[in-house]
Amino acid sequence: PALNEVDSSPDSAVMTTFNQPVVPLGAEENTPPAFTLSPEAPGRGEWLNTSTYVFYPDPPLQGGISYRVQMNSALISVAGMPLDPGAASVEWIFTTAAPRLVSIKPDPNLPLYPDSVFKLKFNQPMDRASIEQNLKLAGAGGAIVNGSFTWSEEDRVVTFAPEALLSHSTEYTLKLASELLGKSGVALSGAQDVIFLTTDPLAVQSTNPKQGELLR
């Protein structure tokens, strides 16, 4: 990410490119890393070519966290030039995006069927315990709907399945509280309740002939 970049994707690789070759051809695997991250992050680094180094975090970086990139001051170019200590890119900071909801299914703008399940997708891995303890579906009078959770896409997607059919013609509120946390422990950004309205009971909408119509 760029200097002072905010809202950087936690999945992003961290990369730097030098203005001249640092690694002799064929020596990429034996050259030290170009930089370190603070706080430290597990992952894999590699020289893509003689002047470009990339670090791939694994797992992704923590969300809502500022990272400091410190260049390796011992690096020397192929021509024998040391790293300029006064260069602005010798050290820089970027901040990863805070956890936020990307999408939700079903669409809250459409009638909700009684057998619906709720699928929420986030922009980064979430903390399972905080989601399962604090994500609530409330029905009429605030009664909490019991159900089960399943996870997918490396904890970016959670599905809540009510244990019983929802009531017809009833407003339900999916409560997205600030206690919902990403894996980094940072609270969900822009948390707000989502309101659904279930469909009316099955009924005859029209008949042909109409009720009481005289047929000729």
Side-chain angles (χ1 to χ4, degrees):
L3 173 67
N4 296 326
E5 181 174 329
V6 296
D7 209 31
S8 173
S9 171
D11 290 327
S12 295
V14 183
M15 180 179 71
T16 187
T17 299
F18 297 89
N19 62 348
Q20 53 185 287
V22 176
V23 182
L25 283 174
E28 290 86 350
E29 294 184 0
N30 300 318
T31 302
F35 55 76
T36 56
L37 288 179
S38 179
E40 292 184 10
R44 174 180 60 86
E46 67 173 338
W47 288 91
L48 291 184
N49 50 48
T50 60
S51 59
T52 301
Y53 180 81
V54 181
F55 176 76
Y56 304 96
D58 185 19
L61 299 175
Q62 301 181 64
I65 298 293
S66 291
Y67 284 88
R68 183 181 299 274
V69 184
Q70 179 67 54
M71 303 304 298
N72 183 355
S73 60
L75 289 177
I76 298 176
S77 73
V78 172
M81 298 294 294
L83 188 65
D84 180 3
S89 58
V90 169
E91 180 177 297
W92 78 95
I93 295 175
F94 67 91
T95 303
T96 53
R100 64 173 177 267
L101 183 66
V102 174
S103 63
I104 184 169
K105 294 180 180 179
D107 187 339
N109 296 311
L110 299 177
L112 181 70
Y113 291 103
D115 60 350
S116 295
V117 298
F118 300 84
K119 186 175 183 179
L120 290 79
K121 184 173 184 178
F122 300 91
N123 67 331
Q124 57 191 267
M126 301 298 287
D127 177 70
R128 289 192 179 192
S130 74
I131 299 295
E132 295 182 8
Q133 291 172 11
N134 298 293
L135 180 66
K136 305 293 185 183
L137 181 66
I144 300 300
V145 176
N146 294 323
S148 59
F149 294 89
T150 55
W151 291 85
S152 59
E153 296 188 28
E154 298 180 333
D155 290 351
R156 289 176 176 82
V157 175
V158 61
T159 301
F160 175 74
E163 65 180 18
L165 293 177
L166 303 178
S167 300
H168 284 289
S169 306
T170 301
E171 184 177 280
Y172 286 88
T173 302
L174 192 64
K175 296 182 175 295
L176 301 177
S178 58
E179 290 81 8
L180 305 182
L181 307 176
K183 278 283 178 67
S184 62
V186 175
L188 182 70
S189 175
Q192 60 181 355
D193 295 345
V194 182
I195 297 175
F196 299 85
L197 182 63
T198 52
T199 58
D200 294 332
L202 180 64
V204 176
Q205 187 174 33
S206 64
T207 63
N208 188 17
K210 297 179 181 180
Q211 167 67 17
E213 182 177 347
L214 179 63
L215 299 178
R216 293 184 173 83

